[in-house]
């Protein structure tokens, strides 16, 4: 199939998986029993927040989608400099999500999502203007792109914190694996928008069309920002329901450092932090470089121009099914213990690197695309279960924003490290590209991550305070119509 056929298939399957996740959330009501009105309202809430988060991906990973020789030449940067641009965004995200965790805990989920979508919309609009303006002194340059990418990622952090905070309020601990899986489906849909749709937009005329991969996210984000501001009900109490025991959202006067001190009283968070650093290297080390790798492999095989589209399709599917299955398995098979599933996922990632190396050695882009998809499945299973679900399990509802900020922020620190170093490892078009070195460079971090997860594989989070053997029933306040 050609690239456009793969895009159509990706669109159909991605929407189908999201619809399937919606059905699961509406009708999976076994471990915790809710009234139908509560389930429907919760579904509307996470769907709106989830679509907002997916659109934030649309406006964050567009750089990964357009990583090609044409784009690098237009930006007048080498792969090493492109890595610096990625690192600027990733490290700004890391710092801001650490600080903004306490802000989100205090201002709540709705204002956080509005700030995130509005700010990212403006930044993507500025990117488009920067890449298309004819005014000479404004025209694109390395430092302008680097700074603006950092600012965009600053605003992105608000949305990431908001959606996990909503999950900690609307979902009981016994079903947060399910939420983590649903959340992963939304992340996968975000990959569809960021990678497949942006790739499709740019493919019409890569020489002139790639700046539009910033225009469309800008428009979509401002629309979803307005919808959130008008209609989002982030807490059960906002919709007239009693809160789930142990999940009451309390605003606190404590700042970031007070909340962090509370979280760091739990030794397991120290392990999670190093898990996240290594995971960031493994995850974004694939996402930011696979399209350029496959572009170079395609040059060695006639008729393989659709391989990069296949890879984007499989990255989307891997993101969806990796997180969904890991969340459900952790709840049903491992009794809500997350670490065994994460450990299995990282071992799978390590084994798949051998497959990637073989695909590179035989110069087969189709095999490389399959290997990229498998990598997405494995790193998504670890990302969804550790970054969001473990943060909810091992913290409190009042401090979950700071917990997510610590984990997601340290992951992006690891992601930024790969941006600094992997571009130099890969090389450039003058010295030749060394993607075999790139694959080798991913392995040590994956091995360390697996060992760390193995060291805490039997740890279980404290259970929420409700009668374990009795189903939870929520009621609707009388004044709710």
């Amino acid at each position: 199939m050609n690239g456009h056929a793969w895009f159509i298939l990706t669109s159909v399957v991605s929407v189908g998986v999201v619809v399937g996740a919606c059905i699961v959330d509406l009708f999976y009501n076994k471990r915790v029993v809710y009234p139908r009105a509560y389930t429907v309202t919760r579904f509307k809430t996470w769907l709106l927040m989830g679509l907002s988060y997916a659109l934030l991906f649309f406006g964050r990973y567009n750089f990964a989608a357009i990583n090609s020789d044409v784009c690098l030449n237009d930006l007048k940067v080498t792969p090493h400099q492109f890595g610096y641009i990625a690192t600027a965004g990733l490290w700004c995200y890391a710092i801001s999500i650490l600080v903004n965790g306490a802000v989100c805990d205090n201002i709540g989920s709705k204002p956080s999502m509005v700030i995130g979508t509005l700010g990212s919309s403006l930044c993507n609009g500025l990117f488009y203007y920067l890449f298309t303006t004819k005014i000479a002194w404004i025209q694109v340059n390395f430092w302008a792109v680097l700074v603006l990418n950092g600012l965009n990622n600053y605003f992105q952090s608000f949305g990431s914190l908001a959606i996990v905070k909503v999950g900690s309020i609307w979902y009981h601990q016994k079903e947060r694996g399910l939420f983590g899986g649903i959340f992963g489906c939304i992340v996968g849909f975000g990959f569809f928008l960021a990678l497949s749709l942006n790739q499709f937009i740019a493919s019409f005329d890569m020489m002139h069309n790639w700046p539009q991969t910033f225009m469309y996210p800008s428009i979509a984000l401002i629309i979803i920002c307005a919808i959130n501001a008008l209609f989002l009900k982030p807490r059960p109490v906002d919709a007239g329901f009693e809160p789930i025991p142990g999940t009451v959202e309390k605003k606190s006067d404590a700042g970031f450092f007070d909340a962090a001190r509370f979280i760091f009283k739990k030794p397991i968070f120290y392990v999670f932090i190093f898990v996240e650093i290594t995971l960031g290297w493994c995850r974004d080390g694939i996402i930011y470089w696979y399209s350029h790798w496959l572009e170079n492999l395609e040059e060695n095989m006639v008729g393989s121009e659709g391989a990069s589209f296949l890879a984007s399709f499989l990255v989307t599917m891997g993101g969806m099914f990796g997180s969904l299955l890991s969340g459900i398995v952790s709840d049903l098979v491992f009794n809500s213990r997350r670490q065994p599933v994460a450990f299995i996922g990282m071992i799978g990632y390590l084994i798949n690197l051998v497959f990637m190396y073989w695909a590179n050695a035989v110069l087969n882009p189709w095999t490389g695309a399959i290997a990229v998809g498998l990598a997405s499945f494995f790193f998504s299973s670890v990302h969804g279960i550790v970054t969001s679900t473990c943060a909810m399990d091992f913290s409190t509802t009042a401090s979950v924003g700071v917990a997510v900020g610590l984990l997601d922020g340290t992951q992006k620190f690891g992601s930024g490290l790969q941006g600094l170093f992997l571009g130099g490892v890969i090389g450039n078009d003058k010295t030749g590209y060394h993607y075999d070195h790139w694959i080798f460079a991913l392995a040590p971090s994956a091995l360390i991550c697996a060992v760390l997860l193995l060291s805490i594989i039997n740890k279980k989070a404290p259970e929420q305070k409700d009668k374990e053997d009795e189903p939870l029933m929520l009621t609707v306040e009388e004044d709710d119509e």
Side-chain angles (χ1 to χ4, degrees), residues 28-34 172 174-175 244 471-473:
Y28 182 84
N29 208 23
K30 295 179 180 179
R31 305 200 79 193
V32 185
V33 179
Y34 301 115
H172 189 274
K174 293 179 179 179
E175 54 181 356
I244 297 174
L472 176 67
M473 300 292 294

Side-chain angles (χ1 to χ4, degrees), residues 278-289:
T278 55
L279 177 60
W281 180 288
C282 295
R283 181 174 184 254
D284 284 315
I286 296 285
I287 293 173
Y288 273 94
W289 301 105

Side-chain angles (χ1 to χ4, degrees), residues 68-377:
S68 65
D69 285 336
V70 169
C71 181
L72 294 181
N73 290 334
D74 284 352
L75 292 175
K76 299 179 178 63
V77 297
T78 65
H80 205 172
Q81 290 173 312
F82 181 84
Y84 291 157
I85 293 172
T87 294
L90 291 164
W91 279 0
C92 280
Y93 184 98
I95 295 170
S96 60
I97 205 168
L98 287 169
V99 177
N100 290 339
V103 176
C104 181
D105 281 334
N106 280 278
I107 67 175
S109 305
K110 182 174 181 176
S112 297
M113 185 59 81
V114 170
I115 292 170
T117 49
L118 176 61
S120 185
S121 172
L122 294 175
C123 288
N124 274 273
L126 286 172
F127 269 128
Y128 178 71
Y129 181 70
L130 187 68
F131 295 148
T132 58
T133 183
K134 302 301 181 183
I135 302 175
W137 65 274
I138 298 180
Q139 283 180 353
V140 60
N141 66 76
F142 170 76
W143 291 106
V145 175
L146 185 144
V147 171
L148 190 54
N149 194 36
L151 184 62
N152 180 39
N153 277 267
Y154 168 78
F155 287 112
Q156 290 266 341
S157 68
F158 282 96
S160 301
L161 292 163
I163 191 169
V164 178
K165 191 166 183 68
V166 163
S168 72
I169 297 169
W170 283 90
Y171 288 82
H172 189 274
Q173 186 189 65
K174 293 179 179 179
E175 54 181 356
R176 285 178 183 168
L178 170 67
F179 170 75
I182 293 171
F183 177 69
C185 288
I186 294 298
V187 171
F189 188 67
F191 278 141
F192 160 70
L193 296 175
L195 302 176
S196 294
L197 181 55
N198 275 328
Q199 197 175 36
F200 178 73
I201 292 169
S203 69
F204 283 101
D205 184 356
M206 192 67 183
M207 195 65 69
H208 303 289
N209 228 47
W210 67 263
Q212 292 191 23
T213 60
F214 297 89
M215 180 187 73
Y216 290 111
S218 178
I219 296 170
L221 282 165
I222 197 66
I223 293 172
I224 203 71
C225 173
I227 295 173
N228 275 289
L230 293 173
F231 301 112
L232 180 64
K233 295 181 179 180
R235 303 174 300 170
V237 68
D238 296 325
F241 297 99
E242 292 181 2
I244 297 174
T247 65
V248 178
E249 183 180 36
K250 297 177 181 178
K251 292 187 178 181
S252 171
D253 294 330
F256 166 77
F257 293 105
D258 293 322
R261 275 194 293 270
F262 170 78
I263 290 168
F264 280 125
K265 289 180 181 178
K266 302 174 183 291
I268 197 170
F269 265 97
Y270 293 97
V271 181
F272 283 147
I273 282 173
F274 286 102
V275 166
E276 291 285 2
I277 291 172
T278 55
L279 177 60
W281 180 288
C282 295
R283 181 174 184 254
D284 284 315
I286 296 285
I287 293 173
Y288 273 94
W289 301 105
Y290 82 84
S291 62
H292 195 260
W293 174 48
L294 294 177
E295 180 188 45
N296 283 270
L297 290 184
E298 287 172 351
E299 294 176 358
N300 296 284
M301 179 178 286
V302 177
S304 63
E305 291 75 13
S308 58
F309 279 90
L310 171 61
S312 295
F313 166 71
L314 294 175
V315 167
T316 300
M317 295 300 102
M320 289 181 169
F321 288 106
S323 294
L324 182 60
L325 292 177
S326 66
I328 293 174
V329 169
S330 74
D331 276 349
L332 299 183
V333 178
F334 294 101
N335 195 26
S336 297
R337 280 192 298 124
R338 320 302 178 188
Q339 300 92 303
V341 180
F343 173 73
I344 293 170
M346 193 48 64
I347 292 298
Y349 182 96
L350 271 167
I351 295 172
N352 185 62
L353 288 180
V354 178
F355 186 35
M356 286 183 64
Y357 186 82
W358 177 77
N360 186 74
V362 299
L363 301 176
N364 190 319
W366 297 107
T367 307
I370 295 171
V372 168
L374 288 171
S376 175
F377 177 87

